[in-house]
Amino acid sequence: MAPVAPRSGDAIFANIERVNAELFTLTYGAIVRQLLTDLEEVEEVNKQLEQMGYNIGIRLIDEFLAKSNVSRCVDFRETADVIAKVGFKMFLGVTASVSNWDAEGTCCSIILEDNPLVDFVELPDTCQGLYYCNILSGVIRGALEMVSMKTEVTWIRDVLRGDDVFELQVKLLKQVPEEYPYKDDE
Amino acid sequence: MAAAIYSLYIINKSGGLIYYKDYGSAGRMDTNDSLRVASLWHSMHAISQQLSPVSGCLGIELLQADTFDLHCYQSLTGTKFFVVCEPGTQHMESLLKYIYELYTDYVLKNPFYEMEMPIRCELFDINLTQAVQKDRVAFLGR
C-alpha cells in the first residue's frame, strides 16, 4: 500500500467539526478565573495551567498523528515547523511561524500573531505575573514528551503583557528513545 | 466471505495489553494467553528493529504464516495495534490506521480513561465493531 502523504494544516482544519470560537474563549476564560479564585497565587495558577496543558498534550499528540499523517521528523527543526504549520493550524486555526534558531538547532521560538484564547482579554494589575496562555506551553511539552523529546517551553513575549506578538521558546533538552531492557553485552 | 479477522490487540508503549477482541473462535484466547501474546509481540517487535538489515526500520509490519497473517501498526507514540487475520486478507493497514483514529477519538478523548490502562470505553467498542464488519473493511480499501 502506498504511504499516505501528510495532510496540510488547512486541509485538516477544513474537515474537522468546529465549535463556536466565543464558547471556546469563554470556557478558557472561566477556567483561568476559577483557578485564580481557588489558588489565589498567580504562580500557582501558571503551574496549574501548564499541568492541565500537559495532560491535554499527552492525549492530543495521538490525535494529531492520526489525523495529519506526518511521518517521523528527521530533526528538531522539522518538529518545530510541523508544530507551527500543522499543529497550531489544526487545533487553533492559526498559523504560527518559527524563528530564532540557536546554533545547535535545539532551541527556537514559535511566534503567534493571532491567538483565539485571548480574544477580548485584558490582564488587570493584580494579575501581572500571570501567563494567561500557559496551557499552550503545557500542551507542547506534553505532546513532545510522548514522542520521546524532553523539552522546556517558556513565554518570551506575551501580548497581554504589552508585547506585539506571542512568542514561545521551545528548547529541546534531550531525546529519550524507548529503552528496552535488553543489554547487548550480557 | 467468512470473517477474515480473527482478533485485534492493542498494546501500550510498555508492552502491556490494553485491549483485546476476538472475532470468531479461530483466534480465541483466554486472558492469560492473550497477555502472553501481547508481551511476546512487544518484545519481538523491539528485537526486530535491532535485527533489521534495513536502516531506519521501525519494526515488524507484517508476519505471514500458514494459517494466519499478523498486521501491526505502531504509532509514533509507541502504541501498537495488531490484527491476526486469515492469510491474504486485504486492506488491514487501512483498517489499523482507522482503528488508531477511533482510539484517538473514543479512548483518548474520554477524560475518565487513564493513559496506558486497559481500555473500557463502550463507544470505542461500538465503533470498532462497526469498522470491522466485512463491508466496512472493503470500503476502507481506498
Side-chain angles (χ1 to χ4, degrees), chain B residues 92-110:
Chain B
M92 288 292 104
E93 294 90 10
S94 33
L95 176 68
L96 284 173
K97 268 240 80 194
Y98 184 66
I99 294 178
Y100 181 42
E101 280 179 42
L102 291 180
Y103 168 76
T104 66
D105 283 336
Y106 297 106
V107 179
L108 294 181
K109 289 185 192 144
N110 180 343

Side-chain angles (χ1 to χ4, degrees), chain A residues 93-166:
Chain A
V94 296
T95 314
S97 53
V98 187
S99 64
N100 290 350
W101 278 103
D102 73 345
E104 292 113 42
T106 55
C107 183
C108 67
S109 290
I110 296 185
I111 316 255
L112 275 169
E113 276 158 24
D114 207 3
N115 185 347
L117 289 173
V118 302
D119 285 341
F120 322 120
V121 177
E122 277 171 27
L123 276 189
D125 296 325
T126 49
C127 301
Q128 280 309 308
L130 181 67
Y131 287 114
Y132 188 83
C133 306
N134 218 23
I135 208 168
L136 293 178
S137 41
V139 172
I140 295 179
R141 182 174 73 90
L144 288 178
E145 192 166 307
M146 294 303 269
V147 281
S148 334
M149 286 180 255
K150 269 198 116 59
T151 54
E152 199 181 295
V153 187
T154 43
W155 289 100
I156 305 285
R157 284 189 279 174
D158 189 332
V159 167
L160 296 177
R161 293 184 174 208
D163 299 308
D164 49 346
V165 288
F166 287 99

